[in-house]
Amino acid sequence: MIDIWESAEKSAEYALAAIRDHPGRIPLLMGMMALFPLMMGYTARIYRGEPQPPDLSSPYGLFIDGIRLTIVQFIYSAPVIGAILLITSRQSRLMDLITHADRGLLFSPVGAVFFLLLGVVLLYAVVILISMIGLIRTARSRRIRDGFAFREITTHIRAIGSVPYISAVAFYTVVSLLLSLPAGYLIELTPIGYIPAFFIYVVITLFAARYFTLIYESGLPRRTVG
């Protein structure tokens, strides 16, 4: 059973320890945020469940691990990106339907647009729920195909608990949004704002990687001693 608060506290401690105990890594991690395959490779090392923040040795290994996760993430994101592009390409038509439709009719064009947007949101939610487990599976096995083993993924989600897992993902979504807002504001405020913003993004990334690792491990079989 997931203890969301405990997982969040442990993940926050993990992220803070990574920064406090290894300050020399901070500029490198901030730079890796721009070179996202390297940062994805670093999160892959965290996904493997080491209790201590991993080092930055073997940049080539980081890059290869990051490419694997990037491929998996891109494939999962493709349906959502496609749906958004489709809606964007029909934006003027959709606005015309809304403008000229009768108000208050569920099955009017306004209702159709509403259900279309709702469908995109639900698609995004499903992709997030499945892809997080898929990414961790790929990171641990170093095989891209394991990120799309849907039977094993859904079985693992059931082992975690469907409702607790959805709650854990929703909790992280809210937390990451709240933490990302000041970073976005700093970037808009001044070009120098990229420096503290990237620092915030590093903290969020470390927190997220450890948080979802703990969530994933809550669905693993318990080891018995003796």
Side-chain angles (χ1 to χ4, degrees):
M1 184 68 178
I2 302 173
D3 188 327
I4 295 177
W5 288 109
E6 182 180 357
S7 298
E9 288 178 0
K10 289 182 177 179
S11 301
E13 292 171 0
Y14 181 93
L16 293 176
I19 294 170
R20 181 188 64 242
D21 299 340
H22 307 282
R25 295 179 185 173
I26 297 175
L28 294 175
L29 291 172
M30 291 171 63
M32 287 163 58
M33 292 301 300
L35 302 172
F36 65 91
L38 289 176
M39 197 63 193
M40 290 290 284
Y42 190 72
T43 60
R45 292 184 177 180
I46 299 175
Y47 286 153
R48 289 174 190 141
E50 292 296 328
Q52 300 300 323
D55 57 34
L56 298 174
S57 61
S58 182
Y60 177 76
L62 283 175
F63 181 76
I64 295 301
D65 286 340
I67 289 296
R68 289 194 195 98
L69 292 197
T70 300
I71 291 172
V72 173
Q73 191 170 59
F74 176 79
I75 293 174
Y76 272 113
S77 301
V80 178
I81 294 173
I84 293 174
L85 291 176
L86 178 63
I87 291 176
T88 303
S89 66
R90 300 290 188 271
Q91 184 177 4
S92 59
R93 175 58 178 164
L94 294 175
M95 291 303 298
D96 183 65
L97 288 174
I98 294 174
T99 303
H100 296 90
D102 295 330
R103 295 182 178 180
L105 297 179
L106 181 62
F107 297 102
S108 69
V110 174
V113 173
F114 170 78
F115 285 115
L116 179 62
L117 295 176
L118 179 61
V120 173
V121 172
L122 292 176
L123 175 63
Y124 176 76
V126 171
V127 166
I128 290 295
L129 292 171
I130 296 176
S131 66
M132 284 311 309
I133 302 298
L135 286 168
I136 296 175
R137 284 175 54 84
T138 295
R140 293 192 168 207
S141 69
R142 294 181 171 87
R143 293 192 298 266
I144 291 175
R145 66 176 180 271
D146 286 343
F148 303 99
F150 297 114
R151 179 179 298 178
E152 288 79 4
I153 290 173
T154 54
T155 298
H156 196 93
I157 291 175
R158 286 195 295 270
I160 296 172
S162 299
V163 173
Y165 178 59
I166 293 172
S167 300
V169 174
F171 173 82
Y172 165 74
T173 302
V174 173
V175 170
S176 64
L177 178 62
L178 293 176
L179 292 177
S180 298
L181 287 176
Y185 177 74
L186 289 169
I187 291 175
E188 292 292 332
L189 187 64
T190 171
I192 304 177
Y194 278 94
I195 297 175
F198 272 40
F199 176 79
I200 294 173
Y201 289 141
V202 166
V203 174
I204 295 173
T205 300
L206 295 173
F207 172 85
R210 183 59 180 169
Y211 177 77
F212 281 108
T213 299
L214 294 175
I215 299 302
Y216 178 87
E217 290 179 344
S218 70
L220 295 176
R222 299 291 182 181
R223 294 182 179 179
T224 57
V225 180

